[in-house]
Amino acid sequence: MMLSRMLPRTTLLTTRGLSALTTTMTTPDNVSYITLNNPARRNPLSLDMLNTLISDIESASSHSKCIVIRSTGNVFSSGHDLKELAAASQEVQYSIFNRCNDLMLLVAKSSAPILASVDGFATAAGCQLVAACHMALCSQRSKFATPGVNIGLFCSTPGVQLGRAVNRKLAMDMLLTGEPITSDAALKGGLVSRVYESSEKLEVETERIANLIASKSSPVVRLGINNFNSQMRKSLVDAAEQSSEVMVRNLELEDGKEGLTAFLEKRHPSWQQDK
């Protein structure tokens, strides 16, 4: 997807990441767009790219109501930079994989909603990044794969997020065969949330959904995301008990009170952060 097509209609801030590997922008609606910007190399998750993405996401999380990760070119991300891995010492290889884990955990644990917008191929750690996001939108032409097994490098780390986003059989199918799956298969398997027929439709809908999420109460959304992630690791009984406590806490938030009052008064709520 061409970057010029993906720019929101209004832009408040635009910056460049390390060595221009990414570009970031924040709209007046407090949606941050982080764009992987190394299409000539198929947007690999090199150590520099990993560090840049972590910095970008940490910065955006402090002020954004929604974060979108997207890319330029026909490849969302091809995963790790194999030339970098092949030339690296074992110590540096550990650093690369550990830094990738840092990125995936940062995304998965973020209380700010993070969306992947994919228009093309997402493979290996690139597929892992999609799996880590709270939501993933893609175009019909997009494909997803964990092809490391084909070159003798099993996608063990991508399997961590992949195996938690899709059913076990689909995850093992992708990991063992290395074959790509279509956008429709990714939707059916739970890797992506929505599929759009064209790049143009993906662009429009990415902006619409990001703005829709940003229009909600940020304290309420962050409370909800944190509880969702936490309760998924608990037993059914403990998850239900914890979530009941969170619902009561939610009602005590200023925006919780405002939302309930607005509903009963049949008017649109006025969130605290919007005043």
Side-chain angles (χ1 to χ4, degrees), residues 208-234:
R208 183 187 72 81
I209 292 172
N211 288 339
L212 178 63
I213 293 172
S215 72
K216 315 301 182 186
S217 163
S218 186
V220 169
V221 168
R222 287 174 182 259
L223 177 67
I225 288 176
N226 286 337
N227 177 67
F228 181 85
N229 289 336
S230 175
Q231 61 87 19
M232 287 294 289
R233 299 189 294 268
K234 297 179 180 293

Side-chain angles (χ1 to χ4, degrees), residues 47 50 84-99:
L47 187 56
L50 292 169
E84 180 180 59
L85 281 175
S89 66
Q90 189 175 77
E91 181 180 1
V92 174
Q93 290 170 346
Y94 271 117
S95 296
I96 292 170
F97 289 119
N98 286 337
R99 201 59 174 149

Side-chain angles (χ1 to χ4, degrees), residues 8-264:
R9 285 183 285 273
T10 54
T11 302
L12 181 64
L13 172 68
T14 302
T15 61
R16 288 189 177 274
L18 179 66
S19 304
L21 291 177
T22 67
T23 59
T24 65
M25 66 176 66
T26 301
T27 71
D29 294 317
N30 287 324
V31 175
S32 288
Y33 290 83
I34 299 173
T35 306
L36 281 64
N37 190 37
N38 191 8
R41 297 287 312 283
R42 303 197 305 170
N43 296 310
L45 296 183
S46 63
L47 187 56
D48 280 348
M49 179 70 89
L50 292 169
N51 286 329
T52 301
L53 284 172
I54 289 170
S55 177
D56 290 344
I57 292 170
E58 287 178 340
S59 176
S61 296
S62 66
H63 62 268
S64 302
K65 298 175 70 176
C66 184
I67 299 170
V68 176
I69 301 176
R70 59 189 183 180
S71 67
T72 55
N74 295 322
V75 177
F76 175 77
S77 174
S78 57
H80 288 294
D81 186 329
L82 296 182
K83 288 185 178 180
E84 180 180 59
L85 281 175
S89 66
Q90 189 175 77
E91 181 180 1
V92 174
Q93 290 170 346
Y94 271 117
S95 296
I96 292 170
F97 289 119
N98 286 337
R99 201 59 174 149
C100 187
N101 288 338
D102 290 341
L103 171 63
M104 301 306 165
L105 290 174
L106 177 65
V107 171
K109 292 183 176 181
S110 172
S111 58
I114 300 181
L115 282 62
S117 182
V118 182
D119 185 29
F121 273 90
T123 63
C127 183
Q128 180 183 5
L129 180 56
V130 175
C133 291
H134 297 114
M135 290 178 61
L137 318 175
C138 74
S139 61
Q140 189 76 47
R141 72 175 184 138
S142 298
K143 292 185 178 181
F144 306 84
T146 50
V149 69
N150 296 333
I151 61 168
L153 183 62
F154 199 87
C155 284
S156 295
T157 47
V160 174
Q161 272 71 35
L162 182 65
R164 287 162 172 76
V166 306
N167 66 69
R168 185 182 180 123
K169 292 295 190 295
L170 177 58
M172 289 307 300
D173 187 316
M174 295 175 67
L175 292 165
L176 290 171
T177 68
E179 292 185 338
I181 63 171
T182 65
S183 56
D184 288 336
L187 178 64
K188 181 183 290 186
L191 182 57
V192 302
S193 315
R194 307 187 188 199
V195 177
Y196 301 102
E197 64 270 20
S198 66
S199 302
E200 292 76 14
K201 186 66 172 178
L202 172 65
E203 173 194 345
V204 170
E205 284 299 293
T206 295
E207 185 176 348
R208 183 187 72 81
I209 292 172
N211 288 339
L212 178 63
I213 293 172
S215 72
K216 315 301 182 186
S217 163
S218 186
V220 169
V221 168
R222 287 174 182 259
L223 177 67
I225 288 176
N226 286 337
N227 177 67
F228 181 85
N229 289 336
S230 175
Q231 61 87 19
M232 287 294 289
R233 299 189 294 268
K234 297 179 180 293
S235 69
L236 188 63
V237 172
D238 289 343
E241 182 178 344
Q242 172 182 295
S243 296
S244 293
E245 294 174 357
V246 170
M247 292 290 287
V248 173
R249 286 166 51 199
N250 194 155
L251 286 168
E252 290 302 307
L253 292 176
E254 288 300 317
D255 281 348
K257 297 174 182 177
E258 164 62 15
L260 195 57
T261 300
F263 177 80
L264 295 174

